[in-house]
């Protein structure tokens, strides 16, 4: 069945259109038409004001719907997290495991394999944030679990990459060898630098070895200084991708704008969401430590930030209304750009033949409707 989707504005992954409509057939994108060009027999879906865009893609999602990856049954957590964020407009994501022991990491990799076999909707792979980090930049990660990478770890990660559509790993270059980075990349793993106190020279060596991304730019990394640019300066002065948390808590608007000017088309938004996403929970636990939710922040008892309390639509509103980012640029950071990072170009765009994964936002960027392959998401 053909459907014609009419909205005030349509973002196709690159361009924001007015006076256009989206044509789909049997849950797949056919293309954009003039707004009043309705094929005979097509069902008209009239959405009114706001913007229709591709489903969001989030490459750093620790939890949601009350579940946190690494606590409880990991497969159940993956299913719950993907479902919770789908209702918030994120139709593709990488459930993210925060620094854990080896047994938990292996269990999560196995759960990811099971998620592939059972075709969990929205599951694009896994992101392992640690444990191969620098304790000096641990953030909310448990320092007792941070360690260097063993040959056993390397073998397990390479094996996991063979079975998952995407495996992303955040590591500190000082916690691994350049040969290990090269081996991970050769296996198809996306290596992202983060939670690191690295020097510019060491960061650039890791990039030459194959690291292609940095995790939550500015946070938990060596800062930019005029004589030692650190990981922030290296990220801004290289071609690596950069994830960033647009919540007004992790990064100030001016720093956000400066970073985007330095990396147009190379920076993408992440929610860094925790278990509370999509719920009214006020507290949860992370590695047996209590995390408090208050005034848009998630913090340990000592005030250390522990993830973020945003959804991607909330991040979009902050980027546009507070940071002053142009709407097409902000939307691309949540759709087509993260799709490029994980080499899934069919995602995050309205390309003919692609699945009709769609989100309708009102003028205040609140979610009004979500569809996966043309079917509504409850």
């Amino acid at each position: 069945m053909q459907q014609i989707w009419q909205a005030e504005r349509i973002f196709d992954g690159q361009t924001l259109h007015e006076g256009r409509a989206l044509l789909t057939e049997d849950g797949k994108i056919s293309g954009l038409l003039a707004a009043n060009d309705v094929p005979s027999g097509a069902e008209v879906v009239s959405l009114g004001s706001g913007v229709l865009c591709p489903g969001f893609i989030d490459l750093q999602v620790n939890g949601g719907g009350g579940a946190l990856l690494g606590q409880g049954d990991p497969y159940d957590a993956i299913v719950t997290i993907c479902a919770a964020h789908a209702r918030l407009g994120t139709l593709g994501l990488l459930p993210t495991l925060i620094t854990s022991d080896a047994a938990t990491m292996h269990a999560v990799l196995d759960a990811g394999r099971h998620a592939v076999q059972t075709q969990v909707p929205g599951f694009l792979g896994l992101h392992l944030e640690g444990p191969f980090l620098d304790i000096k930049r641990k953030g909310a990660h448990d320092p007792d679990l941070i360690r260097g990478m063993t040959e056993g770890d390397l073998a397990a990660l390479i094996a996991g990459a063979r079975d998952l559509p995407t495996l992303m790993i955040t590591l500190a270059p000082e916690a691994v060898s350049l040969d290990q980075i090269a081996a991970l990349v050769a296996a198809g793993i996306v290596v992202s630098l983060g939670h690191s106190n690295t020097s510019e020279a060491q960061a650039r060596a890791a990039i030459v070895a194959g690291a292609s991304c940095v995790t939550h730019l500015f946070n938990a990394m060596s800062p930019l200084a005029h004589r030692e640019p650190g990981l922030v300066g290296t990220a801004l002065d290289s071609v690596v991708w950069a994830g960033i948390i647009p919540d007004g808590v992790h990064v100030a608007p001016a720093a956000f704008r400066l970073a985007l000017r330095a990396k147009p088309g190379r920076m993408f938004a992440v929610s860094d969401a925790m278990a509370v996403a999509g719920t009214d929970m006020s507290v949860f636990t992370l590695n047996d430590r209590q995390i408090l939710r208050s005034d848009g922040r998630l913090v340990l008892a000592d005030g250390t930030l522990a993830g973020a309390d945003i959804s991607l639509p909330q991040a979009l509103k902050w980027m546009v209304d507070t940071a002053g980012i142009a709407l097409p640029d902000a939307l691309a950071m949540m759709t087509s750009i993260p799709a490029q990072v994980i080499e899934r170009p069919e995602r995050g765009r309205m390309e003919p033949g692609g699945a009709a994964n769609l989100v309708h936002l009102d003028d205040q960027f609140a979610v009004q409707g979500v569809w996966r392959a043309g079917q509504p998401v409850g």
Side-chain angles (χ1 to χ4, degrees), residues 181-258:
I181 291 175
L184 293 170
V185 173
I189 294 169
V190 180
V191 173
S192 188
L193 305 180
H195 287 275
S196 170
N197 208 41
T198 184
S199 66
E200 177 193 11
Q202 195 171 25
R204 290 195 185 277
I207 293 169
V208 170
S212 60
C213 191
V214 298
T215 294
H216 45 52
L217 181 65
F218 295 115
N219 297 112
M221 63 179 62
S222 45
L224 170 64
H226 65 291
R227 291 193 178 92
E228 174 46 73
L231 184 50
V232 170
T234 306
L236 296 177
D237 189 45
S238 65
V239 298
V240 295
W241 305 101
I244 194 166
I245 306 172
D247 63 349
V249 174
H250 285 78
V251 181
F256 193 96
R257 289 191 295 269
L258 288 168

Side-chain angles (χ1 to χ4, degrees), residues 56 58 85 88-90 246-247 270-271 273 277-278 308-317 334 365 367:
F56 305 137
D58 196 342
H85 285 275
L88 301 172
T90 297
D247 63 349
V270 297
S271 69
D309 189 13
I310 56 165
S311 64
L312 286 185
Q314 290 171 314
L316 178 66
K317 183 173 179 62
M334 301 163 50
F365 308 118
V367 174

Side-chain angles (χ1 to χ4, degrees), residues 284-320:
F284 66 101
T285 59
L286 173 64
N287 293 329
D288 298 322
R289 295 173 297 168
Q290 192 174 68
I291 309 297
L292 305 174
R293 183 188 204 184
S294 179
D295 298 325
R297 293 171 176 261
L298 302 177
V299 296
L300 294 169
D302 64 2
T304 301
L305 290 172
D309 189 13
I310 56 165
S311 64
L312 286 185
Q314 290 171 314
L316 178 66
K317 183 173 179 62
W318 181 86
M319 283 191 282
V320 174

Side-chain angles (χ1 to χ4, degrees), residues 63-80:
L68 190 68
L69 190 59
Q71 295 183 183
D73 182 275
Y75 175 77
D76 289 347
I78 288 171
V79 172
T80 299

Side-chain angles (χ1 to χ4, degrees), residues 101-136:
D101 57 33
T104 300
M105 183 177 76
H106 293 162
V108 167
L109 287 170
D110 284 341
R113 293 180 174 98
H114 188 34
V116 173
Q117 293 165 357
T118 57
Q119 299 182 348
V120 173
F123 179 74
L124 297 181
L126 291 171
H127 181 169
L128 305 180
E129 189 184 355
F132 319 114
L133 309 176
D134 188 330
I135 200 167
K136 299 184 188 71

Side-chain angles (χ1 to χ4, degrees), residues 3 31 34 42 82 116 154 173 193 224 234 279 346:
Q3 291 178 300
C82 289
V116 173
L154 181 62
L193 305 180
L224 170 64
T234 306
T279 77
E346 79 282 5

